[in-house]
mmCIF file of all heavy atoms in Angstrom:
data_model
loop_
_atom_site.group_PDB
_atom_site.id
_atom_site.type_symbol
_atom_site.label_atom_id
_atom_site.label_comp_id
_atom_site.label_asym_id
_atom_site.label_seq_id
_atom_site.Cartn_x
_atom_site.Cartn_y
_atom_site.Cartn_z
ATOM 1 N N MET A 140 6.922 -6.279 0.743
ATOM 2 C CA MET A 140 5.718 -5.782 1.397
ATOM 3 C C MET A 140 5.773 -6.123 2.884
ATOM 4 O O MET A 140 6.059 -7.240 3.250
ATOM 5 C CB MET A 140 4.495 -6.427 0.767
ATOM 6 C CG MET A 140 3.199 -5.861 1.282
ATOM 7 S SD MET A 140 1.801 -6.728 0.583
ATOM 8 C CE MET A 140 2.065 -8.366 1.232
ATOM 9 N N ALA A 141 5.505 -5.147 3.700
ATOM 10 C CA ALA A 141 5.568 -5.348 5.138
ATOM 11 C C ALA A 141 4.162 -5.314 5.723
ATOM 12 O O ALA A 141 3.319 -4.513 5.313
ATOM 13 C CB ALA A 141 6.416 -4.260 5.772
ATOM 14 N N LYS A 142 3.918 -6.206 6.676
ATOM 15 C CA LYS A 142 2.624 -6.248 7.362
ATOM 16 C C LYS A 142 2.833 -5.701 8.765
ATOM 17 O O LYS A 142 3.659 -6.215 9.515
ATOM 18 C CB LYS A 142 2.146 -7.696 7.404
ATOM 19 C CG LYS A 142 0.787 -7.895 8.009
ATOM 20 C CD LYS A 142 0.461 -9.385 7.972
ATOM 21 C CE LYS A 142 -0.827 -9.693 8.700
ATOM 22 N NZ LYS A 142 -1.104 -11.134 8.716
ATOM 23 N N THR A 143 2.122 -4.661 9.106
ATOM 24 C CA THR A 143 2.278 -4.058 10.430
ATOM 25 C C THR A 143 0.909 -3.761 11.029
ATOM 26 O O THR A 143 -0.113 -3.876 10.354
ATOM 27 C CB THR A 143 3.090 -2.748 10.351
ATOM 28 O OG1 THR A 143 2.502 -1.904 9.362
ATOM 29 C CG2 THR A 143 4.538 -2.994 9.972
ATOM 30 N N ILE A 144 0.916 -3.358 12.259
ATOM 31 C CA ILE A 144 -0.329 -2.976 12.943
ATOM 32 C C ILE A 144 -0.243 -1.473 13.238
ATOM 33 O O ILE A 144 0.758 -1.000 13.763
ATOM 34 C CB ILE A 144 -0.486 -3.750 14.273
ATOM 35 C CG1 ILE A 144 -0.343 -5.266 14.078
ATOM 36 C CG2 ILE A 144 -1.809 -3.388 14.954
ATOM 37 C CD1 ILE A 144 -1.469 -5.941 13.330
ATOM 38 N N ASN A 145 -1.269 -0.741 12.886
ATOM 39 C CA ASN A 145 -1.206 0.702 13.130
ATOM 40 C C ASN A 145 -1.732 1.063 14.521
ATOM 41 O O ASN A 145 -2.059 0.200 15.325
ATOM 42 C CB ASN A 145 -1.936 1.460 12.007
ATOM 43 C CG ASN A 145 -3.446 1.297 12.062
ATOM 44 O OD1 ASN A 145 -3.996 0.721 12.987
ATOM 45 N ND2 ASN A 145 -4.118 1.813 11.060
ATOM 46 N N GLN A 146 -1.787 2.360 14.786
ATOM 47 C CA GLN A 146 -2.197 2.819 16.118
ATOM 48 C C GLN A 146 -3.639 2.479 16.447
ATOM 49 O O GLN A 146 -4.031 2.442 17.610
ATOM 50 C CB GLN A 146 -1.987 4.335 16.212
ATOM 51 C CG GLN A 146 -0.507 4.695 16.257
ATOM 52 C CD GLN A 146 -0.233 6.126 15.832
ATOM 53 O OE1 GLN A 146 -0.998 6.715 15.093
ATOM 54 N NE2 GLN A 146 0.880 6.685 16.277
ATOM 55 N N LYS A 147 -4.444 2.234 15.397
ATOM 56 C CA LYS A 147 -5.845 1.846 15.631
ATOM 57 C C LYS A 147 -5.990 0.331 15.680
ATOM 58 O O LYS A 147 -7.082 -0.203 15.575
ATOM 59 C CB LYS A 147 -6.724 2.423 14.523
ATOM 60 C CG LYS A 147 -6.850 3.929 14.594
ATOM 61 C CD LYS A 147 -7.624 4.442 13.375
ATOM 62 C CE LYS A 147 -7.529 5.951 13.266
ATOM 63 N NZ LYS A 147 -7.954 6.400 11.915
ATOM 64 N N HIS A 148 -4.848 -0.375 15.767
ATOM 65 C CA HIS A 148 -4.818 -1.834 15.844
ATOM 66 C C HIS A 148 -5.405 -2.489 14.611
ATOM 67 O O HIS A 148 -6.032 -3.541 14.691
ATOM 68 C CB HIS A 148 -5.499 -2.335 17.125
ATOM 69 C CG HIS A 148 -4.894 -1.756 18.356
ATOM 70 N ND1 HIS A 148 -3.675 -2.167 18.862
ATOM 71 C CD2 HIS A 148 -5.296 -0.745 19.148
ATOM 72 C CE1 HIS A 148 -3.395 -1.444 19.930
ATOM 73 N NE2 HIS A 148 -4.348 -0.568 20.126
ATOM 74 N N GLN A 149 -5.190 -1.846 13.474
ATOM 75 C CA GLN A 149 -5.622 -2.441 12.214
ATOM 76 C C GLN A 149 -4.389 -2.987 11.499
ATOM 77 O O GLN A 149 -3.310 -2.412 11.602
ATOM 78 C CB GLN A 149 -6.272 -1.379 11.322
ATOM 79 C CG GLN A 149 -7.532 -0.796 11.919
ATOM 80 C CD GLN A 149 -7.952 0.491 11.227
ATOM 81 O OE1 GLN A 149 -7.133 1.347 10.926
ATOM 82 N NE2 GLN A 149 -9.226 0.614 10.971
ATOM 83 N N ILE A 150 -4.576 -4.071 10.750
ATOM 84 C CA ILE A 150 -3.465 -4.605 9.961
ATOM 85 C C ILE A 150 -3.244 -3.689 8.766
ATOM 86 O O ILE A 150 -4.185 -3.301 8.083
ATOM 87 C CB ILE A 150 -3.764 -6.044 9.504
ATOM 88 C CG1 ILE A 150 -3.868 -6.955 10.723
ATOM 89 C CG2 ILE A 150 -2.674 -6.542 8.545
ATOM 90 C CD1 ILE A 150 -4.432 -8.325 10.404
ATOM 91 N N VAL A 151 -1.981 -3.338 8.557
ATOM 92 C CA VAL A 151 -1.617 -2.426 7.480
ATOM 93 C C VAL A 151 -0.521 -3.077 6.647
ATOM 94 O O VAL A 151 0.464 -3.580 7.192
ATOM 95 C CB VAL A 151 -1.118 -1.081 8.070
ATOM 96 C CG1 VAL A 151 -0.551 -0.180 6.974
ATOM 97 C CG2 VAL A 151 -2.242 -0.378 8.807
ATOM 98 N N TYR A 152 -0.686 -3.065 5.348
ATOM 99 C CA TYR A 152 0.316 -3.609 4.429
ATOM 100 C C TYR A 152 1.015 -2.443 3.752
ATOM 101 O O TYR A 152 0.364 -1.574 3.183
ATOM 102 C CB TYR A 152 -0.355 -4.499 3.383
ATOM 103 C CG TYR A 152 -1.090 -5.663 3.991
ATOM 104 C CD1 TYR A 152 -2.452 -5.584 4.278
ATOM 105 C CD2 TYR A 152 -0.417 -6.844 4.302
ATOM 106 C CE1 TYR A 152 -3.128 -6.648 4.864
ATOM 107 C CE2 TYR A 152 -1.088 -7.914 4.881
ATOM 108 C CZ TYR A 152 -2.444 -7.816 5.161
ATOM 109 O OH TYR A 152 -3.106 -8.865 5.736
ATOM 110 N N THR A 153 2.337 -2.438 3.827
ATOM 111 C CA THR A 153 3.101 -1.334 3.256
ATOM 112 C C THR A 153 3.841 -1.798 2.003
ATOM 113 O O THR A 153 4.558 -2.798 2.031
ATOM 114 C CB THR A 153 4.117 -0.811 4.287
ATOM 115 O OG1 THR A 153 3.436 -0.516 5.499
ATOM 116 C CG2 THR A 153 4.818 0.446 3.766
ATOM 117 N N CYS A 154 3.688 -1.068 0.937
ATOM 118 C CA CYS A 154 4.440 -1.330 -0.289
ATOM 119 C C CYS A 154 5.913 -1.004 -0.004
ATOM 120 O O CYS A 154 6.226 0.099 0.419
ATOM 121 C CB CYS A 154 3.906 -0.464 -1.422
ATOM 122 S SG CYS A 154 4.936 -0.503 -2.892
ATOM 123 N N SER A 155 6.783 -1.971 -0.253
ATOM 124 C CA SER A 155 8.197 -1.750 0.089
ATOM 125 C C SER A 155 8.878 -0.808 -0.899
ATOM 126 O O SER A 155 9.971 -0.329 -0.644
ATOM 127 C CB SER A 155 8.939 -3.080 0.153
ATOM 128 O OG SER A 155 8.846 -3.743 -1.074
ATOM 129 N N GLU A 156 8.240 -0.532 -2.002
ATOM 130 C CA GLU A 156 8.818 0.371 -2.998
ATOM 131 C C GLU A 156 8.452 1.832 -2.714
ATOM 132 O O GLU A 156 9.316 2.686 -2.597
ATOM 133 C CB GLU A 156 8.343 -0.012 -4.396
ATOM 134 C CG GLU A 156 8.802 -1.387 -4.853
ATOM 135 C CD GLU A 156 10.303 -1.462 -5.086
ATOM 136 O OE1 GLU A 156 10.846 -0.581 -5.758
ATOM 137 O OE2 GLU A 156 10.939 -2.407 -4.572
ATOM 138 N N CYS A 157 7.169 2.127 -2.627
ATOM 139 C CA CYS A 157 6.744 3.526 -2.493
ATOM 140 C C CYS A 157 6.310 3.887 -1.072
ATOM 141 O O CYS A 157 6.024 5.039 -0.793
ATOM 142 C CB CYS A 157 5.627 3.842 -3.483
ATOM 143 S SG CYS A 157 4.076 3.024 -3.096
ATOM 144 N N LYS A 158 6.231 2.881 -0.198
ATOM 145 C CA LYS A 158 5.868 3.094 1.209
ATOM 146 C C LYS A 158 4.411 3.509 1.423
ATOM 147 O O LYS A 158 4.054 3.966 2.506
ATOM 148 C CB LYS A 158 6.793 4.122 1.898
ATOM 149 C CG LYS A 158 8.274 3.880 1.698
ATOM 150 C CD LYS A 158 8.715 2.554 2.293
ATOM 151 C CE LYS A 158 10.227 2.361 2.089
ATOM 152 N NZ LYS A 158 10.600 0.934 2.263
ATOM 153 N N MET A 159 3.606 3.344 0.402
ATOM 154 C CA MET A 159 2.172 3.566 0.580
ATOM 155 C C MET A 159 1.612 2.433 1.448
ATOM 156 O O MET A 159 2.073 1.298 1.368
ATOM 157 C CB MET A 159 1.458 3.553 -0.776
ATOM 158 C CG MET A 159 1.742 4.766 -1.607
ATOM 159 S SD MET A 159 0.871 6.194 -0.952
ATOM 160 C CE MET A 159 1.178 7.351 -2.285
ATOM 161 N N LYS A 160 0.618 2.768 2.247
ATOM 162 C CA LYS A 160 0.038 1.772 3.148
ATOM 163 C C LYS A 160 -1.390 1.430 2.727
ATOM 164 O O LYS A 160 -2.153 2.297 2.328
ATOM 165 C CB LYS A 160 0.033 2.308 4.582
ATOM 166 C CG LYS A 160 1.433 2.534 5.134
ATOM 167 C CD LYS A 160 1.339 2.949 6.606
ATOM 168 C CE LYS A 160 2.715 3.073 7.232
ATOM 169 N NZ LYS A 160 3.423 4.267 6.755
ATOM 170 N N TYR A 161 -1.722 0.143 2.889
ATOM 171 C CA TYR A 161 -3.036 -0.344 2.479
ATOM 172 C C TYR A 161 -3.631 -1.246 3.547
ATOM 173 O O TYR A 161 -2.901 -1.966 4.225
ATOM 174 C CB TYR A 161 -2.923 -1.150 1.182
ATOM 175 C CG TYR A 161 -2.360 -0.344 0.036
ATOM 176 C CD1 TYR A 161 -0.998 -0.320 -0.210
ATOM 177 C CD2 TYR A 161 -3.194 0.410 -0.775
ATOM 178 C CE1 TYR A 161 -0.469 0.434 -1.242
ATOM 179 C CE2 TYR A 161 -2.677 1.169 -1.808
ATOM 180 C CZ TYR A 161 -1.316 1.183 -2.040
ATOM 181 O OH TYR A 161 -0.809 1.931 -3.050
ATOM 182 N N HIS A 162 -4.962 -1.247 3.657
ATOM 183 C CA HIS A 162 -5.617 -2.193 4.541
ATOM 184 C C HIS A 162 -5.773 -3.540 3.853
ATOM 185 O O HIS A 162 -6.010 -4.552 4.496
ATOM 186 C CB HIS A 162 -7.017 -1.694 4.927
ATOM 187 C CG HIS A 162 -6.984 -0.554 5.892
ATOM 188 N ND1 HIS A 162 -6.334 -0.620 7.096
ATOM 189 C CD2 HIS A 162 -7.517 0.683 5.820
ATOM 190 C CE1 HIS A 162 -6.474 0.532 7.729
ATOM 191 N NE2 HIS A 162 -7.172 1.341 6.966
ATOM 192 N N ASP A 163 -5.670 -3.544 2.543
ATOM 193 C CA ASP A 163 -5.941 -4.725 1.735
ATOM 194 C C ASP A 163 -4.638 -5.298 1.168
ATOM 195 O O ASP A 163 -3.921 -4.615 0.455
ATOM 196 C CB ASP A 163 -6.904 -4.301 0.623
ATOM 197 C CG ASP A 163 -7.167 -5.423 -0.334
ATOM 198 O OD1 ASP A 163 -7.287 -6.567 0.123
ATOM 199 O OD2 ASP A 163 -7.240 -5.145 -1.544
ATOM 200 N N GLU A 164 -4.358 -6.546 1.487
ATOM 201 C CA GLU A 164 -3.110 -7.168 1.064
ATOM 202 C C GLU A 164 -3.017 -7.266 -0.465
ATOM 203 O O GLU A 164 -1.957 -7.031 -1.048
ATOM 204 C CB GLU A 164 -3.010 -8.574 1.679
ATOM 205 C CG GLU A 164 -1.689 -9.254 1.354
ATOM 206 C CD GLU A 164 -1.546 -10.615 2.040
ATOM 207 O OE1 GLU A 164 -2.517 -11.108 2.621
ATOM 208 O OE2 GLU A 164 -0.431 -11.161 1.977
ATOM 209 N N ALA A 165 -4.131 -7.594 -1.106
ATOM 210 C CA ALA A 165 -4.112 -7.741 -2.562
ATOM 211 C C ALA A 165 -3.738 -6.425 -3.238
ATOM 212 O O ALA A 165 -2.967 -6.407 -4.205
ATOM 213 C CB ALA A 165 -5.479 -8.218 -3.045
ATOM 214 N N THR A 166 -4.262 -5.326 -2.721
ATOM 215 C CA THR A 166 -3.960 -4.016 -3.289
ATOM 216 C C THR A 166 -2.496 -3.642 -3.059
ATOM 217 O O THR A 166 -1.829 -3.112 -3.934
ATOM 218 C CB THR A 166 -4.886 -2.943 -2.698
ATOM 219 O OG1 THR A 166 -6.229 -3.400 -2.791
ATOM 220 C CG2 THR A 166 -4.750 -1.619 -3.449
ATOM 221 N N ALA A 167 -1.993 -3.963 -1.880
ATOM 222 C CA ALA A 167 -0.590 -3.676 -1.569
ATOM 223 C C ALA A 167 0.332 -4.466 -2.492
ATOM 224 O O ALA A 167 1.343 -3.941 -2.971
ATOM 225 C CB ALA A 167 -0.299 -4.026 -0.112
ATOM 226 N N LYS A 168 -0.019 -5.705 -2.767
ATOM 227 C CA LYS A 168 0.783 -6.527 -3.684
ATOM 228 C C LYS A 168 0.758 -5.950 -5.090
ATOM 229 O O LYS A 168 1.764 -5.936 -5.791
ATOM 230 C CB LYS A 168 0.250 -7.968 -3.711
ATOM 231 C CG LYS A 168 0.763 -8.789 -2.545
ATOM 232 C CD LYS A 168 0.270 -10.227 -2.657
ATOM 233 C CE LYS A 168 0.799 -11.054 -1.496
ATOM 234 N NZ LYS A 168 0.076 -12.333 -1.385
ATOM 235 N N LYS A 169 -0.416 -5.479 -5.496
ATOM 236 C CA LYS A 169 -0.560 -4.872 -6.825
ATOM 237 C C LYS A 169 0.317 -3.631 -6.931
ATOM 238 O O LYS A 169 0.989 -3.397 -7.924
ATOM 239 C CB LYS A 169 -2.029 -4.465 -7.041
ATOM 240 C CG LYS A 169 -2.711 -5.178 -8.178
ATOM 241 C CD LYS A 169 -4.066 -4.544 -8.453
ATOM 242 C CE LYS A 169 -5.198 -5.343 -7.855
ATOM 243 N NZ LYS A 169 -6.511 -4.737 -8.093
ATOM 244 N N CYS A 170 0.292 -2.834 -5.878
ATOM 245 C CA CYS A 170 1.080 -1.606 -5.842
ATOM 246 C C CYS A 170 2.569 -1.941 -5.948
ATOM 247 O O CYS A 170 3.288 -1.364 -6.755
ATOM 248 C CB CYS A 170 0.788 -0.854 -4.551
ATOM 249 S SG CYS A 170 1.683 0.701 -4.404
ATOM 250 N N GLU A 171 2.991 -2.908 -5.149
ATOM 251 C CA GLU A 171 4.408 -3.254 -5.147
ATOM 252 C C GLU A 171 4.849 -3.796 -6.513
ATOM 253 O O GLU A 171 5.921 -3.454 -7.017
ATOM 254 C CB GLU A 171 4.680 -4.283 -4.059
ATOM 255 C CG GLU A 171 6.151 -4.430 -3.766
ATOM 256 C CD GLU A 171 6.387 -5.157 -2.458
ATOM 257 O OE1 GLU A 171 6.139 -4.558 -1.406
ATOM 258 O OE2 GLU A 171 6.791 -6.324 -2.495
ATOM 259 N N ALA A 172 4.023 -4.626 -7.112
ATOM 260 C CA ALA A 172 4.351 -5.169 -8.432
ATOM 261 C C ALA A 172 4.463 -4.038 -9.448
ATOM 262 O O ALA A 172 5.389 -4.002 -10.270
ATOM 263 C CB ALA A 172 3.273 -6.166 -8.857
ATOM 264 N N TRP A 173 3.507 -3.095 -9.373
ATOM 265 C CA TRP A 173 3.527 -1.955 -10.287
ATOM 266 C C TRP A 173 4.769 -1.091 -10.054
ATOM 267 O O TRP A 173 5.459 -0.711 -10.997
ATOM 268 C CB TRP A 173 2.258 -1.119 -10.111
ATOM 269 C CG TRP A 173 2.236 0.057 -11.027
ATOM 270 C CD1 TRP A 173 2.834 1.262 -10.833
ATOM 271 C CD2 TRP A 173 1.622 0.125 -12.319
ATOM 272 N NE1 TRP A 173 2.629 2.078 -11.910
ATOM 273 C CE2 TRP A 173 1.891 1.411 -12.842
ATOM 274 C CE3 TRP A 173 0.858 -0.794 -13.085
ATOM 275 C CZ2 TRP A 173 1.426 1.816 -14.092
ATOM 276 C CZ3 TRP A 173 0.394 -0.380 -14.326
ATOM 277 C CH2 TRP A 173 0.679 0.895 -14.816
ATOM 278 N N CYS A 174 5.048 -0.815 -8.815
ATOM 279 C CA CYS A 174 6.175 0.069 -8.483
ATOM 280 C C CYS A 174 7.501 -0.514 -8.952
ATOM 281 O O CYS A 174 8.350 0.198 -9.477
ATOM 282 C CB CYS A 174 6.231 0.310 -6.979
ATOM 283 S SG CYS A 174 4.868 1.306 -6.373
ATOM 284 N N LYS A 175 7.670 -1.815 -8.749
ATOM 285 C CA LYS A 175 8.912 -2.468 -9.157
ATOM 286 C C LYS A 175 9.072 -2.440 -10.660
ATOM 287 O O LYS A 175 10.159 -2.219 -11.186
ATOM 288 C CB LYS A 175 8.921 -3.932 -8.680
ATOM 289 C CG LYS A 175 9.383 -4.039 -7.244
ATOM 290 C CD LYS A 175 9.492 -5.502 -6.823
ATOM 291 C CE LYS A 175 9.902 -5.599 -5.360
ATOM 292 N NZ LYS A 175 9.373 -6.808 -4.729
ATOM 293 N N LYS A 176 7.982 -2.664 -11.363
ATOM 294 C CA LYS A 176 8.018 -2.756 -12.814
ATOM 295 C C LYS A 176 8.151 -1.375 -13.453
ATOM 296 O O LYS A 176 8.909 -1.194 -14.398
ATOM 297 C CB LYS A 176 6.725 -3.429 -13.276
ATOM 298 C CG LYS A 176 6.766 -3.924 -14.700
ATOM 299 C CD LYS A 176 5.484 -4.712 -14.994
ATOM 300 C CE LYS A 176 5.270 -4.756 -16.505
ATOM 301 N NZ LYS A 176 3.851 -4.844 -16.858
ATOM 302 N N ASN A 177 7.407 -0.410 -12.939
ATOM 303 C CA ASN A 177 7.295 0.876 -13.626
ATOM 304 C C ASN A 177 8.074 2.019 -12.990
ATOM 305 O O ASN A 177 8.188 3.080 -13.569
ATOM 306 C CB ASN A 177 5.819 1.274 -13.722
ATOM 307 C CG ASN A 177 5.024 0.263 -14.517
ATOM 308 O OD1 ASN A 177 5.131 0.209 -15.731
ATOM 309 N ND2 ASN A 177 4.251 -0.550 -13.854
ATOM 310 N N LYS A 178 8.540 1.794 -11.753
ATOM 311 C CA LYS A 178 9.277 2.846 -11.039
ATOM 312 C C LYS A 178 8.453 4.131 -10.913
ATOM 313 O O LYS A 178 8.973 5.241 -10.931
ATOM 314 C CB LYS A 178 10.616 3.161 -11.717
ATOM 315 C CG LYS A 178 11.548 1.965 -11.845
ATOM 316 C CD LYS A 178 12.172 1.593 -10.510
ATOM 317 C CE LYS A 178 12.964 0.283 -10.619
ATOM 318 N NZ LYS A 178 13.085 -0.407 -9.332
ATOM 319 N N SER A 179 7.157 3.937 -10.837
ATOM 320 C CA SER A 179 6.263 5.075 -10.630
ATOM 321 C C SER A 179 5.004 4.555 -9.962
ATOM 322 O O SER A 179 4.824 3.356 -9.842
ATOM 323 C CB SER A 179 5.910 5.741 -11.958
ATOM 324 O OG SER A 179 5.056 4.904 -12.696
ATOM 325 N N CYS A 180 4.138 5.446 -9.536
ATOM 326 C CA CYS A 180 2.918 5.024 -8.866
ATOM 327 C C CYS A 180 1.727 5.069 -9.807
ATOM 328 O O CYS A 180 1.633 5.910 -10.684
ATOM 329 C CB CYS A 180 2.662 5.899 -7.639
ATOM 330 S SG CYS A 180 3.709 5.417 -6.267
ATOM 331 N N ASN A 181 0.844 4.130 -9.595
ATOM 332 C CA ASN A 181 -0.380 4.039 -10.378
ATOM 333 C C ASN A 181 -1.515 4.674 -9.574
ATOM 334 O O ASN A 181 -1.872 4.195 -8.509
ATOM 335 C CB ASN A 181 -0.673 2.557 -10.647
ATOM 336 C CG ASN A 181 -1.883 2.357 -11.528
ATOM 337 O OD1 ASN A 181 -2.774 3.193 -11.582
ATOM 338 N ND2 ASN A 181 -1.917 1.240 -12.223
ATOM 339 N N LEU A 182 -2.081 5.750 -10.088
ATOM 340 C CA LEU A 182 -3.133 6.464 -9.354
ATOM 341 C C LEU A 182 -4.343 5.586 -9.069
ATOM 342 O O LEU A 182 -5.025 5.773 -8.066
ATOM 343 C CB LEU A 182 -3.568 7.702 -10.135
ATOM 344 C CG LEU A 182 -2.570 8.869 -10.163
ATOM 345 C CD1 LEU A 182 -3.114 9.992 -11.023
ATOM 346 C CD2 LEU A 182 -2.289 9.378 -8.758
ATOM 347 N N ASP A 183 -4.608 4.620 -9.949
ATOM 348 C CA ASP A 183 -5.738 3.729 -9.723
ATOM 349 C C ASP A 183 -5.504 2.792 -8.546
ATOM 350 O O ASP A 183 -6.438 2.226 -8.009
ATOM 351 C CB ASP A 183 -6.021 2.902 -10.983
ATOM 352 C CG ASP A 183 -6.709 3.729 -12.053
ATOM 353 O OD1 ASP A 183 -7.370 4.721 -11.705
ATOM 354 O OD2 ASP A 183 -6.577 3.375 -13.235
ATOM 355 N N ILE A 184 -4.231 2.613 -8.185
ATOM 356 C CA ILE A 184 -3.911 1.785 -7.020
ATOM 357 C C ILE A 184 -3.772 2.659 -5.776
ATOM 358 O O ILE A 184 -4.358 2.358 -4.737
ATOM 359 C CB ILE A 184 -2.615 0.971 -7.265
ATOM 360 C CG1 ILE A 184 -2.811 0.009 -8.452
ATOM 361 C CG2 ILE A 184 -2.231 0.189 -5.999
ATOM 362 C CD1 ILE A 184 -1.551 -0.718 -8.876
ATOM 363 N N ILE A 185 -3.039 3.744 -5.888
ATOM 364 C CA ILE A 185 -2.782 4.521 -4.668
ATOM 365 C C ILE A 185 -4.013 5.277 -4.164
ATOM 366 O O ILE A 185 -4.011 5.762 -3.041
ATOM 367 C CB ILE A 185 -1.566 5.483 -4.803
ATOM 368 C CG1 ILE A 185 -1.801 6.537 -5.869
ATOM 369 C CG2 ILE A 185 -0.276 4.718 -5.056
ATOM 370 C CD1 ILE A 185 -0.717 7.616 -5.874
ATOM 371 N N LYS A 186 -5.062 5.321 -4.954
ATOM 372 C CA LYS A 186 -6.297 5.918 -4.422
ATOM 373 C C LYS A 186 -6.866 5.064 -3.278
ATOM 374 O O LYS A 186 -7.676 5.544 -2.493
ATOM 375 C CB LYS A 186 -7.334 6.129 -5.522
ATOM 376 C CG LYS A 186 -7.957 4.877 -6.078
ATOM 377 C CD LYS A 186 -8.906 5.236 -7.212
ATOM 378 C CE LYS A 186 -9.469 3.953 -7.849
ATOM 379 N NZ LYS A 186 -10.184 4.234 -9.095
ATOM 380 N N TYR A 187 -6.419 3.803 -3.185
ATOM 381 C CA TYR A 187 -6.846 2.937 -2.087
ATOM 382 C C TYR A 187 -5.899 3.001 -0.891
ATOM 383 O O TYR A 187 -6.124 2.332 0.113
ATOM 384 C CB TYR A 187 -6.937 1.477 -2.565
ATOM 385 C CG TYR A 187 -7.941 1.285 -3.663
ATOM 386 C CD1 TYR A 187 -7.538 0.986 -4.958
ATOM 387 C CD2 TYR A 187 -9.312 1.427 -3.413
ATOM 388 C CE1 TYR A 187 -8.458 0.815 -5.984
ATOM 389 C CE2 TYR A 187 -10.236 1.266 -4.421
ATOM 390 C CZ TYR A 187 -9.806 0.966 -5.711
ATOM 391 O OH TYR A 187 -10.724 0.813 -6.713
ATOM 392 N N ALA A 188 -4.846 3.772 -1.024
ATOM 393 C CA ALA A 188 -3.873 3.861 0.070
ATOM 394 C C ALA A 188 -4.498 4.547 1.277
ATOM 395 O O ALA A 188 -5.431 5.355 1.147
ATOM 396 C CB ALA A 188 -2.641 4.625 -0.394
ATOM 397 N N ILE A 189 -3.947 4.229 2.450
ATOM 398 C CA ILE A 189 -4.429 4.840 3.688
ATOM 399 C C ILE A 189 -3.850 6.248 3.801
ATOM 400 O O ILE A 189 -2.647 6.445 3.683
ATOM 401 C CB ILE A 189 -3.988 3.990 4.901
ATOM 402 C CG1 ILE A 189 -4.545 2.583 4.775
ATOM 403 C CG2 ILE A 189 -4.434 4.663 6.196
ATOM 404 C CD1 ILE A 189 -3.861 1.579 5.701
ATOM 405 N N LYS A 190 -4.726 7.181 4.006
ATOM 406 C CA LYS A 190 -4.265 8.555 4.193
ATOM 407 C C LYS A 190 -4.020 8.776 5.684
ATOM 408 O O LYS A 190 -4.923 8.607 6.504
ATOM 409 C CB LYS A 190 -5.304 9.537 3.669
ATOM 410 C CG LYS A 190 -5.406 9.497 2.170
ATOM 411 C CD LYS A 190 -6.520 10.418 1.688
ATOM 412 C CE LYS A 190 -6.785 10.215 0.209
ATOM 413 N NZ LYS A 190 -7.474 8.921 -0.068
ATOM 414 N N GLU A 191 -2.802 9.150 6.003
ATOM 415 C CA GLU A 191 -2.468 9.390 7.407
ATOM 416 C C GLU A 191 -2.599 10.881 7.704
ATOM 417 O O GLU A 191 -2.637 11.688 6.803
ATOM 418 C CB GLU A 191 -1.070 8.862 7.703
ATOM 419 C CG GLU A 191 -1.063 7.320 7.631
ATOM 420 C CD GLU A 191 0.288 6.713 7.875
ATOM 421 O OE1 GLU A 191 1.290 7.317 7.465
ATOM 422 O OE2 GLU A 191 0.329 5.617 8.462
ATOM 423 N N LYS A 192 -2.679 11.168 8.980
ATOM 424 C CA LYS A 192 -2.883 12.534 9.486
ATOM 425 C C LYS A 192 -4.373 12.914 9.542
ATOM 426 O O LYS A 192 -5.181 12.378 8.795
ATOM 427 C CB LYS A 192 -2.153 13.603 8.652
ATOM 428 C CG LYS A 192 -0.671 13.665 9.013
ATOM 429 C CD LYS A 192 -0.007 14.762 8.192
ATOM 430 C CE LYS A 192 1.100 14.189 7.330
ATOM 431 N NZ LYS A 192 1.756 15.173 6.501
HETATM 432 ZN ZN1 LIG B 292 3.911 1.066 -4.296
#
């Protein structure tokens, strides 16, 4: 999981498996754990992902 700062100067946590971005570290950790274990994305987790564009 990578911690970065986005263009709006907000802290962003990126799942190293699926590259989804989250404002919440706990959610990003959950996503990464799920991705590693299941090799797929959990819709209940990625609904919290940051939508870019
Ligand atoms: Zn993920």
Side-chain angles (χ1 to χ4, degrees):
M140 186 184 63
K142 183 180 174 183
T143 52
I144 308 290
N145 71 6
Q146 289 158 335
K147 291 174 191 165
H148 303 285
Q149 297 165 317
I150 296 168
V151 172
Y152 300 94
T153 307
C154 170
S155 59
E156 296 292 312
C157 69
K158 311 297 181 198
M159 288 286 189
K160 296 185 175 73
Y161 300 91
H162 287 304
D163 176 39
E164 184 176 9
T166 310
K168 278 183 179 166
K169 243 189 259 179
C170 181
E171 194 165 288
W173 180 277
C174 291
K175 276 184 182 150
K176 195 174 159 209
N177 299 286
K178 302 286 173 205
S179 71
C180 282
N181 183 334
L182 288 177
D183 285 335
I184 298 173
I185 63 171
K186 70 183 176 191
Y187 298 110
I189 301 164
K190 290 176 189 72
E191 291 178 325
K192 281 182 240 179

